[in-house]
Amino acid sequence: MSKFATIGMSCVLLVALLLCASSGAFAQGVTTAAVNGKITGKGGEPLPGVNVIALHTPSGTISGTVTREDGRYNLPNLRVGGPYIVSASIVGYRKATREQIFLRLSENLDLNFTLTEEAVQASEIVVTGERSSVFNASRTGAATNVTRDQIEKLPTLSRNWADYYKISPYVTGDHGSALGRNSKYNNVQIDGTNYNDLFGLGSTGAPAGQSNVTPISLDAIEEFQIVVSPYDVRQSGFTGAGINAITRSGTNEYKGSAFYFGRNEGFVGKSPDTLKLPLAGFTDWQLGARLGGPIIQDKLFFFVNGEITRFKQPFTRTFGNQSLGTNAYTVNPDSLALLTSTLKNKYGYDPGSFSNIGYNRQSDKAFARLDYNLSDAHKLTAHWSYLSSSEDNSPSRGRGTTDIYADNGKYKLDNTTNSLALQLTSLFGNAASNEFILGYVAQKDLPTYYGQPFPSLYIATKGTGTAYAGLQDLVMGSEEFRHFNLLDQKTFEITDNFTLYMKDHTLTFGGRIDLLSFENLFIPEGFGDYAYSSIARFVQDL
């Protein structure tokens, strides 16, 4: 058993020396979007003191600033999505407005305005402009955004957000191998906080990776971004890809949905035996619901989501065949009956069935988020995410193509994960902004054997003279490596990024503290481990 804690601290300093035309290129946030630009008069002269307002129409959230002496402005920490209405106004000039503005995650949109003078009060004019090309000064490296619209329109059988990794040309495989790197070298962030399996036993690199379930409901994801070569120092901690996701939030309208997907034996093939019967007992279903809306109009919003999945798949074997085939074995059924009887009557242990092996995988997920507009300049966000999952696994030893393990020879992997995140974004005048994030993730993996505590037992059946030969070894007893096994991980992080907007430069100062704690209990063969060269020798206790 081992227990240790580590403290990691990284302080980042980014000094971006940029051309005047792109001085806000690094102003966007990891979990938000941004708008920047320059406001000039008809003759091209910069206009200082212009009021720039961005209105997120679904929630009524307002963000505002004024232009600096060089006519430039920055509106960071904006909600992803839209539509936005962005307006620029100052006394003596006609107000200019752009509508139907949609922002993507980590996007920094250039919106420049040219204002014309007016001597008398005139009616408002509306200026319509197109989004600038993605290949501009605000582009910060190779990245792929997966929007909510894509999530809703593209097919997925498992409702796992990892299915959408494949939209990126840099990612291959089911678990997100980026640029040829194992997925464990990725860094997964949700709402700016790390969401990784730091100990690294799972295959996905995220919590519950050992039980092969997605750690958060697809319905709770608003948008995510896959970055492989970001220039922004705030996106770091990986040599594969950065999976940067943000969750859904409420608006001024109550919106919700519910879903159910299911399959049973009627949707799969027949059994492989001569009877060709349906695979009775096969079920695969998911159900969930979400709801979001206002608590206080234009001020305080909520979003909640829940999801349940259940998967059960039967696995059957036939015995007594003289030639190996699909799930067919030469072991005599009477020998198996004698073996089972000996274990029950002599040792009081039930190994479970050799013919019918159960496989179950399930998960329960809950998510809640609050968004609070403290003022036009300060926004507070908090979320809580919960996951409970379980999956059956075949024995760690005895996974050969012809090995035969009893039902109680397998084990199950239980996982419980709780995640909390708090984010405060602030805009100080027209020359500075700040992003402060707190995150906490607690993961517990508990691999557990089935049945009663009993030594691990291996019996050869092909006359090889020894077990472990991979030739129809019988595998029984408590799973060898799960007699005493536990993994407990806790992560606490504090991040702060402060940005100054200057005439020709944007300066970002950041600091981050990570507190990591691991507790790992691993005692294999705690009940003993025995191998026999034949069933007869076991029955005779030789």
Side-chain angles (χ1 to χ4, degrees):
M1 175 178 180
S2 62
K3 182 176 182 179
F4 62 91
T6 64
I7 299 177
M9 180 174 181
S10 60
C11 293
V12 295
L13 171 62
L14 174 64
V15 181
L17 303 178
L18 306 171
L19 299 175
C20 291
S22 58
S23 63
F26 288 94
Q28 83 277 17
V30 175
T31 63
T32 56
V35 173
N36 76 91
K38 186 175 182 179
I39 299 180
T40 60
K42 188 175 181 180
E45 71 280 7
L47 296 179
V50 178
N51 293 305
V52 183
I53 303 296
L55 170 64
H56 183 254
T57 55
S59 66
T61 301
I62 295 176
S63 299
T65 187
V66 296
T67 55
R68 299 183 288 276
E69 291 184 0
D70 58 356
R72 295 192 173 278
Y73 72 93
N74 292 84
L75 282 174
N77 304 325
L78 300 179
R79 276 195 182 201
V80 172
Y84 277 90
I85 299 175
V86 181
S87 62
S89 63
I90 190 173
V91 175
Y93 291 82
R94 292 181 179 179
K95 181 178 181 181
T97 302
R98 295 190 181 180
E99 300 181 349
Q100 293 298 310
I101 301 297
F102 291 86
L103 301 177
R104 297 186 301 174
L105 177 61
S106 293
E107 181 181 20
N108 194 32
L109 183 64
D110 289 320
L111 280 182
N112 300 318
F113 293 87
T114 299
L115 303 185
T116 58
E117 297 182 13
E118 63 174 1
V120 296
Q121 181 68 32
S123 59
E124 178 179 307
I125 64 172
V126 176
V127 179
T128 302
E130 294 183 357
R131 181 196 307 268
S132 60
S133 170
V134 295
F135 296 103
N136 57 30
S138 299
R139 181 79 168 178
T140 58
T144 301
N145 281 65
V146 182
T147 64
R148 186 70 232 173
D149 184 61
Q150 289 173 303
I151 292 174
E152 292 177 349
K153 290 181 178 179
L154 295 177
T156 171
L157 294 179
S158 62
R159 293 185 57 82
N160 186 335
W161 64 314
D163 289 347
Y164 299 91
Y165 290 176
K166 298 171 186 177
I167 293 178
S168 170
Y170 311 107
V171 177
T172 59
D174 294 331
H175 301 308
S177 173
L179 300 178
R181 298 289 281 171
N182 189 288
S183 61
K184 295 178 182 180
Y185 292 94
N186 296 340
N187 181 29
V188 180
Q189 287 188 316
I190 296 181
D191 290 338
T193 60
N194 283 338
Y195 209 61
N196 298 298
D197 173 21
L198 296 177
F199 204 82
L201 294 181
S203 59
T204 64
Q210 291 193 78
S211 51
N212 291 306
V213 301
T214 177
I216 188 171
S217 173
L218 187 63
D219 266 8
I221 299 295
E222 173 65 29
E223 184 173 333
F224 66 93
Q225 186 182 48
I226 303 168
V227 297
V228 294
S229 60
Y231 306 144
D232 193 334
V233 72
R234 292 170 295 182
Q235 295 182 329
S236 60
F238 59 90
T239 57
I243 312 297
N244 179 31
I246 58 170
T247 56
R248 275 182 160 177
S249 55
T251 65
N252 278 329
E253 294 184 56
Y254 290 101
K255 293 183 179 180
S257 68
F259 72 87
Y260 171 81
F261 297 98
R263 298 185 295 159
N264 58 23
E265 57 269 16
F267 290 85
V268 297
K270 307 297 184 180
S271 63
D273 56 29
T274 57
L275 297 178
K276 303 299 181 184
L277 297 175
L279 293 176
F282 172 81
T283 57
D284 179 14
W285 57 267
Q286 307 173 59
L287 65 86
R290 64 175 174 90
L291 178 65
I295 299 175
I296 303 175
Q297 287 281 330
D298 299 336
K299 193 82 171 176
L300 181 61
F301 310 92
F302 78 93
F303 176 85
V304 293
N305 163 256
E307 181 176 299
I308 298 174
T309 68
R310 296 291 185 269
F311 181 86
K312 181 179 180 181
Q313 178 175 286
F315 174 69
T316 59
R317 301 188 184 105
T318 59
F319 295 96
N321 295 329
Q322 295 305 308
S323 61
L324 289 176
T326 304
N327 299 337
Y329 301 88
T330 60
V331 180
N332 190 298
D334 292 336
S335 298
L336 289 178
L338 176 61
L339 174 60
T340 301
S341 176
T342 301
L343 285 168
K344 289 181 178 179
N345 297 330
K346 188 174 181 178
Y347 299 102
Y349 175 73
D350 184 0
S353 173
F354 284 97
S355 300
N356 297 289
I357 308 297
Y359 170 73
N360 298 276
R361 183 178 65 239
Q362 63 183 51
S363 65
D364 301 320
K365 303 167 192 172
F367 179 83
R369 170 170 167 154
L370 289 174
D371 291 84
Y372 191 15
N373 295 332
L374 301 174
S375 67
D376 290 351
H378 304 282
K379 311 293 191 296
L380 181 67
T381 298
H383 87 226
W384 166 71
S385 180
Y386 169 79
L387 168 67
S388 175
S389 64
S390 179
E391 184 188 38
D392 287 341
N393 287 263
S394 57
S396 299
R397 178 181 289 174
R399 288 180 175 173
T401 56
T402 59
D403 289 331
I404 309 166
Y405 61 91
D407 194 32
N408 282 345
K410 65 179 189 289
Y411 71 97
K412 66 175 179 175
L413 195 290
D414 294 328
N415 171 272
T416 302
T417 300
N418 278 281
S419 170
L420 297 169
L422 180 71
Q423 180 185 42
L424 176 64
T425 58
S426 302
L427 182 62
F428 302 106
N430 64 352
S433 66
N434 192 74
E435 182 184 45
F436 176 74
I437 297 175
L438 289 177
Y440 175 76
V441 180
Q443 308 174 50
K444 177 174 285 189
D445 291 314
L446 183 62
T448 307
Y449 54 83
Y450 272 90
Q452 308 156 254
F454 196 77
S456 303
L457 184 60
Y458 302 90
I459 302 177
T461 65
K462 295 284 285 186
T464 61
T466 180
Y468 310 143
L471 299 172
Q472 288 198 20
D473 286 349
L474 298 174
V475 183
M476 294 154 288
S478 301
E479 207 280 338
E480 180 178 357
F481 299 99
R482 313 303 161 192
H483 293 181
F484 300 98
N485 194 193
L486 168 69
L487 175 60
D488 199 354
Q489 307 180 59
K490 291 183 175 64
T491 305
F492 179 73
E493 61 183 278
I494 304 174
T495 303
D496 192 78
N497 294 304
F498 181 76
T499 302
L500 285 174
Y501 307 103
M502 306 175 71
K503 182 178 181 180
D504 296 318
H505 311 92
T506 295
L507 305 181
T508 297
F509 304 85
R512 176 181 176 131
I513 297 175
D514 290 320
L515 304 175
L516 314 175
S517 174
F518 302 97
E519 181 177 359
N520 184 30
L521 173 65
F522 182 60
I523 305 178
E525 303 175 358
F527 307 139
D529 176 16
Y530 297 88
Y532 292 84
S533 59
S534 68
I535 295 177
R537 292 184 67 86
F538 170 75
V539 173
Q540 297 170 16
D541 198 16
L542 296 176

